[in-house]
Amino acid sequence: MAKKEELDPETLALINWCIEVEGFLVKGGVTLAQAQEHIEDEVEWFTDQFYDGLTPEEAAKAALSD
């Protein structure tokens, strides 16, 4: 049986942050599928925003203003 790979706390924090961003993107008018696709397509940009200390709401606003 294969072992489950455990994610480190930093990776989990990034994933949870992206989930919050997703919610703000949806509140901003995009569909859930569009929000997920945008985060996947721009994962490096969103990761930078996470490490730069932006809140999920600030990152979503920046993404929607592009």
Side-chain angles (χ1 to χ4, degrees), residues 10-36:
E10 190 172 41
T11 301
L12 284 174
L14 175 59
I15 291 168
N16 287 325
W17 183 87
C18 286
I19 291 168
E20 289 185 55
V21 170
E22 188 179 273
F24 285 110
L25 290 172
V26 171
K27 285 182 184 178
V30 301
T31 67
L32 180 59
Q34 289 171 326
Q36 290 171 345

Side-chain angles (χ1 to χ4, degrees), residues 6 11 14-15 24-25 27 36 38 42 45-46 50-51 55-57 59 63 65:
E6 290 191 31
T11 301
L14 175 59
I15 291 168
F24 285 110
L25 290 172
K27 285 182 184 178
Q36 290 171 345
H38 185 64
E42 300 295 330
W45 184 85
F46 281 103
F50 172 78
Y51 285 111
T55 67
E57 185 173 15
S65 69

